[in-house]
Amino acid sequence: MSGDMKGLRRGSVAVVGAAESDLGQVAPHTSPVDLMAQATRRALDDCGLKMSDIDGIFCAAGQIRLSPLALAEYLRLKPNFFDGTIIGGSSFMSHVAHAQAALEAGLCEVALITYGSTQRTVSRAAATPREYNYYEAPYKPFLPASAYALAAARHMHQFGTTREQLAEVAVAARKWALMNPVAWEKEPLTIEQVLNARMVSHPLTVRDCCLVTDGGGALILTTAARAKSLKQKPVYVLGVGEAIGHATISNMPDLTVTVAAESGPKAFKMAGIKQSDVDMLSLYDAFTITPILFLEDLGFCPKGEGGRFVANGAIAPGGKLAVNTSGGGLSYNHPGMYGLLVLIEAVRQVRGECGQRQVKDCEISLAHGNGGVLSSQCTVLFGGPSTV
């Protein structure tokens, strides 16, 4: 499917169920498919549908090579439509677009998007072993951190972004996480603590890097017509956009510009809205540089201004723009490919069920996924009933 999503109709489908699996460090001998199934059960309970209602499966997993087959077998389902697209952490935003296409075409009626990872339990290296790269490996990069460190260093050099501004992203995420009962991190964080933490890959310290946790989640989507009869407030898919740029960081044309600059405009065009209409952003924050790049590339501030944009608590609770209200991959949870949890928070904010961290009158949210080493970028815009 091409990344421009031509033919998809704004608001034709809705998310009706959303749930996390167990998070953090799960019980011994739990498998990634166990977590997918657990989250699926919870998402079905959330919307009032049954397992037998699911006839479309969309999943990706770093630990399972043939995840749609493994999941269908585990759940004892024989779906009419299935998709195992895997492009890293943005896979699940891509799955939203593909599920919408399948639902519109009548290829399925109830679509499940799910993910699970036990990377903390089994170790990150065992969960997602790296492919050998003959062109980069001789230089001994510590991937993926070194790739993102290159982007951060270039942004600092080219635009004057400071280490303190990068640290603002981590501090804001932690402040949001302290309002999320299931967030991994429970202690406050300061800019000084970020700067003085153990160096991982210059200029990024360990506090600039995402968590390593177990976890997963599930979304249930169906047609807008059917969504109205279910128990949860529908959250409509207003716009989607996909783009891929490169596979390896040494082939990224410009370390300061991601193809979110392509996926974002596609999503906004389909949704027929502008950036000022968005009430909250759920951005993939594997490293502190990524929200800065995405704020720029998605059009929320000019290129090069991302560091200054996030300064002085601007994206923290009480700031000018609510970003990563769950606590993000930096402080809430990051089970390998984090994109599905990015989507779940964006859905919950539109539903108005986020408790202490709820964004007031949140009608439109943006969920943006990143895969590989700034390689794949996918954007989804969600809206409540008043937006369709």
Side-chain angles (χ1 to χ4, degrees):
M1 180 176 291
S2 66
D4 57 8
M5 299 298 125
K6 289 179 180 176
L8 293 187
R9 302 191 307 276
R10 179 190 194 275
S12 65
V13 304
V15 176
V16 293
E20 301 143 314
S21 70
D22 290 351
L23 302 174
Q25 186 156 4
V26 299
H29 311 299
T30 301
S31 76
V33 187
D34 287 330
L35 295 179
M36 289 183 186
Q38 183 186 63
T40 299
R41 284 285 186 193
R42 292 174 180 177
L44 288 169
D45 289 344
D46 186 48
C47 64
L49 290 171
K50 304 185 300 295
M51 188 70 73
S52 58
D53 290 317
I54 296 170
D55 61 351
I57 285 179
F58 301 77
C59 60
Q63 291 167 262
I64 309 166
R65 192 162 54 90
L66 305 175
S67 58
L69 304 184
L71 181 63
E73 177 182 85
Y74 190 107
L75 299 178
R76 294 295 187 258
L77 293 176
K78 192 170 177 60
N80 294 325
F81 193 88
F82 49 89
D83 182 357
T85 297
I86 181 165
I87 50 173
S90 64
S91 299
F92 313 97
M93 286 73 176
S94 179
H95 292 167
V96 171
H98 300 180
Q100 181 174 9
L103 288 162
E104 282 192 9
L107 299 175
C108 63
E109 295 182 8
V110 175
L112 163 68
I113 302 174
T114 188
Y115 172 71
S117 168
T118 57
Q119 67 160 14
R120 185 175 184 87
T121 299
V122 303
S123 86
R124 184 183 168 278
T128 51
R130 292 227 151 249
E131 297 175 21
Y132 186 82
N133 184 307
Y134 290 90
Y135 304 101
E136 294 180 357
Y139 299 97
K140 296 180 171 58
F142 180 61
L143 293 173
S146 290
Y148 290 84
L150 282 171
R154 182 62 192 174
H155 204 277
M156 293 169 70
H157 169 77
Q158 190 166 335
F159 301 115
T161 306
T162 67
R163 280 292 294 116
E164 288 78 9
Q165 289 166 348
L166 289 170
E168 288 266 11
V169 175
V171 170
R174 185 64 59 87
K175 288 179 178 178
W176 286 113
L178 294 177
M179 295 189 285
N180 185 350
V182 298
W184 178 261
E185 294 289 359
K186 304 296 185 185
E187 298 295 329
L189 183 69
T190 66
I191 288 176
E192 291 71 26
Q193 286 173 316
V194 177
L195 300 182
N196 295 327
R198 173 174 58 85
M199 184 60 66
V200 172
S201 189
H202 186 79
L204 304 179
T205 72
V206 68
R207 296 276 75 86
D208 289 287
C209 304
C210 62
L211 304 170
V212 178
T213 63
D214 302 329
L219 294 177
I220 306 290
L221 287 81
T222 191
T223 61
R226 186 168 184 176
K228 293 174 183 177
S229 67
L230 300 175
K231 71 180 189 180
Q232 282 287 4
K233 166 185 170 180
V235 176
Y236 296 93
V237 178
L238 303 181
V240 292
E242 303 178 78
I244 56 174
H246 57 277
T248 55
I249 196 66
S250 54
N251 280 280
M252 187 173 179
D254 184 335
L255 288 167
T256 68
V257 180
T258 75
V259 289
E262 300 171 23
S263 68
K266 292 172 186 175
F268 277 103
K269 181 179 179 181
M270 178 177 162
I273 62 173
K274 54 189 181 298
Q275 285 77 2
S276 59
D277 296 317
V278 177
D279 299 306
M280 70 81 61
L281 305 180
S282 195
L283 303 177
Y284 202 111
D285 59 339
F287 300 89
T288 51
I289 185 60
T290 59
I292 288 173
L293 293 174
F294 300 150
L295 285 165
E296 296 171 351
D297 293 340
L298 293 170
F300 288 86
C301 66
K303 175 53 66 179
E305 291 296 317
R308 286 174 281 280
F309 184 89
V310 303
N312 302 312
I315 61 173
K320 63 185 177 183
L321 183 62
V323 176
N324 293 343
T325 55
S326 66
L330 292 166
S331 282
Y332 150 62
N333 212 266
H334 196 289
M337 296 191 295
Y338 169 60
L340 191 49
L341 298 180
V342 174
L343 288 160
I344 289 171
E345 181 69 7
V347 167
R348 286 176 169 168
Q349 284 287 351
V350 172
R351 284 182 174 183
E353 58 187 26
C354 290
Q356 188 183 0
R357 68 183 192 280
Q358 178 63 45
V359 175
K360 185 179 179 182
D361 300 324
C362 184
E363 280 296 310
I364 296 177
S365 64
L366 181 151
H368 181 78
N370 161 73
V373 285
L374 296 169
S375 310
S376 63
Q377 306 295 330
C378 300
T379 311
V380 179
L381 286 159
F382 290 118
S386 68
T387 66
V388 293

